[in-house]
Amino acid sequence: MEHLHSTEAAVGALRAIAREHEREIEVTHDIGADRTSRRTAAAFEVTTDPDGSLPHEAFVEFGGSPRLSVRLYPDDDALIEVEGVECHDIPRDSVPAFVRSVLGGLAYVKGRRFPPGYWLVVPLPGDETYKELIPMISLTPWLNARVR
C-alpha cells in the first residue's frame, strides 16, 4: 500500500481509479481551518492550524453504481460511504484499496439469521478487512445483489 502524504495525493489516486473504472468523479475542496468540518472550534477568519499549516479536506463523489463517496479529512483518515453505508475512520493510505475493492467487485454483504443483520465487508490486500453494520431497512438493490 502506498503512503499518501496529503489529501491532494489521495484525490489524485482516486482520480486514477475513476479513470480505470470509467467512472465520473466530482471533487470539492475545503482548505483552511475555518472551512474544514473537524475545525468547527476555529476562531472567526482563522484559516491556519496553530502550527501554521492549512488543513485540506476533500469530498469525492463517484458517478454510477454503486453510489460511492469519500470525505478525506486533514487528520489522515476518511469517511467512505457505499450505497448509504458509512465506513468511518478509514486510514487515508487505505482509501484507494478500499475504493478499488468496491468498484472491482470484491466487496460483499454478509447476512446472519440470528440475531438478524447484514454487514458490508470490504476486503483489502494484506488480509485487512473492513466490516460495517447495515441497517436492515437500507439494503439497496446493489447491496442486495451482493448478499452471501
Side-chain angles (χ1 to χ4, degrees):
M1 213 172 297
E2 69 177 286
H3 175 65
L4 300 170
H5 59 281
S6 67
T7 298
E8 192 58 39
V11 169
L14 293 174
R15 286 184 193 279
I17 293 168
R19 279 191 302 274
E20 289 170 20
H21 292 274
E22 299 177 349
R23 303 285 295 267
E24 295 288 327
I25 188 172
E26 187 174 318
V27 181
T28 305
H29 296 274
D30 289 315
I31 300 173
D34 59 338
R35 303 268 324 247
T36 58
S37 63
R38 289 190 176 168
R39 303 294 203 289
T40 55
F44 182 69
E45 292 193 17
V46 172
T47 59
T48 61
D49 280 344
D51 66 358
S53 65
L54 279 172
H56 179 191
E57 180 175 300
F59 180 74
V60 180
E61 193 167 22
F62 288 80
S65 180
R67 287 177 301 146
L68 177 64
S69 66
V70 179
R71 179 166 302 280
L72 295 157
Y73 296 109
D75 303 325
D76 298 338
D77 68 328
L79 164 67
I80 301 177
E81 190 172 325
V82 180
E83 287 290 312
V85 179
E86 293 184 346
C87 304
H88 295 270
D89 302 322
I90 307 298
R92 182 169 55 207
D93 290 344
S94 297
V95 168
F98 189 105
V99 170
R100 274 193 177 96
S101 182
V102 170
L103 295 179
L106 297 176
Y108 62 94
V109 174
K110 182 174 178 128
R112 191 168 69 185
R113 291 187 191 271
F114 190 79
Y118 291 97
W119 284 264
L120 174 64
V121 180
V122 183
L124 274 56
D127 293 332
E128 188 176 1
T129 303
Y130 289 93
K131 296 177 185 177
E132 195 64 44
L133 182 63
I134 303 170
M136 292 281 285
I137 58 172
S138 66
L139 274 184
T140 65
W142 187 88
L143 290 169
N144 199 39
R146 279 144 189 86
V147 174
R148 290 188 184 172

